[in-house]
Amino acid sequence: MHPKKIHACCGPECCVVPFSLSVLRNLHGSPSRLSHVFLTGYKLNRPIGDATACILIQFRDMFLYLLGLVVFYYLYRWFREIPRVPDKGDKYVYITGCDSGFGNLLARHLDELGFCVIASCFTEKGEEDLRKACSDRFTTLHLDVKKNESVDKAAALIKDKVGARGLWAVVNNAGVAIPSAPCDWLTIDDYKSMLDVNLNGVIAVTLSVLPLIKKARGRVVNVASVFGRISPVGGPYTVSKYGVEAFNDSLRRNMAPFGVKVLCIEPGFFKTTVTDSVVLGKSIKQLWEKMPQQVRDDYGPDYLDKVDVMMREKLAKMSDTDLMKVVSCMEHAISAVRPRTRYSPGWDAKLFWIPMSYMPTRFADWLLLKEAILPAKAVN
């Protein structure tokens, strides 16, 4: 005999649901009852109502439809982002902060891809190492982004180098992470010293070569951070990155009529000098020693030791060692025909920091303070 069917009607349209009564009886009590209901429409723990059956099927169909849309979107985006710009050998890319880390790797990578790279370094050793490792197309120059005369001199050299074709891209990568500490440990000079590099340096370098970028209808790539979205620590680092985000957004809208693309890189934690626990620990110790005694009493004599342990244990685990995740995003921003507006390399950025930046402020504060090291005189 054919199994009986239950006809479930919802609203004006009627959907036929092929429920076998024998299946209902045999599978009653199965531990996979809920998943079976979701996938097939069967409700196994009690006789199913017509309306409930139809709702379950509609919910299942809606979920599969949304899943299909998500898959289609990512496939479409992947195919759309594949094409690269032609004639790489005629395109000049100016990168700051190439002594080490992301800038150093990006300079080498773009040179291998055939771009004409102009890499700026703060040290002579950084310039020498890159010249030895790269092709004849490669150019190095000294740059101190804190000094206007150094920025202007570099821009003049680049103008002579690129000629009438203009500059295809500038990558503002130079940055520092110290001094970083609770706000009441610092002075205004501590803030100024970092802002001069991380924010004012980005603006100065960009403005110095912007006419060349406009001539080539090229790109400006600004390296910010997930800490330009949310501020879990004190000090000038997050302030500078929020500033880079604001400059990036305003510049992107200003340059759009000229065909210039302005892109932002927002990395999570990666193992570079910026996240070096030894360097950060040494800086924090220096700040502690020059602080007023009253502030040290507020935090307690063992606070510094707790911070040191936390940085050595947690920072190393949080920092991703694969720097090419960031470099690949930078390269895509420079070479893709249709680059993204923002890139957030690192799983911690995608799954934790960026989502947290959209959460209610009260919840984000609670979550961050729950794991924080509290001062000795913290109020309960």
Side-chain angles (χ1 to χ4, degrees), residues 1 11 17 19 23 25 32 35 62 167 197 236-237 261 263 268 275 292 294 312 324 330 335 340 344 348 354 356:
M1 293 178 64
V17 188
F19 288 105
V23 171
R25 286 193 295 268
S32 60
S35 61
M62 180 180 68
L167 181 65
V197 178
Y237 185 78
K261 292 180 171 63
L263 306 320
T275 57
Q294 181 183 351
R312 282 189 285 106
M324 283 305 296
M330 293 173 163
S335 66
R340 302 180 193 177
S344 301
D348 62 321
I354 299 296
M356 186 184 290

Side-chain angles (χ1 to χ4, degrees), residues 102 223-226 264-270 320 322-330 340 342-351 353-354:
F102 301 136
V223 181
S225 167
V226 288
C264 191
I265 314 292
E266 302 169 332
F269 276 88
F270 284 85
D320 194 331
D322 185 7
L323 304 189
M324 283 305 296
K325 290 178 182 176
V326 179
V327 173
S328 295
C329 291
M330 293 173 163
R340 302 180 193 177
R342 278 187 166 82
Y343 298 81
S344 301
W347 288 113
D348 62 321
K350 292 180 175 67
L351 301 179
W353 297 113
I354 299 296

Side-chain angles (χ1 to χ4, degrees), residues 134-200:
C134 298
S135 69
D136 295 336
R137 296 185 309 275
F138 200 89
T139 305
T140 63
L141 53 84
H142 172 74
L143 177 66
D144 183 351
V145 298
K146 293 184 295 184
K147 297 180 179 179
N148 290 335
E149 57 271 22
S150 179
V151 172
D152 293 339
K153 182 180 179 181
L157 291 172
I158 292 168
K159 184 177 180 180
D160 292 338
K161 188 81 174 175
V162 303
R165 77 193 91 187
L167 181 65
W168 175 249
V170 59
V171 182
N172 287 303
N173 170 73
V176 295
I178 55 176
S180 289
C183 298
D184 53 344
W185 292 27
L186 303 169
T187 66
I188 190 62
D189 289 334
D190 293 324
Y191 276 81
K192 287 179 178 178
S193 66
M194 187 181 291
L195 292 174
D196 281 344
V197 178
N198 290 7
L199 179 56
N200 297 336

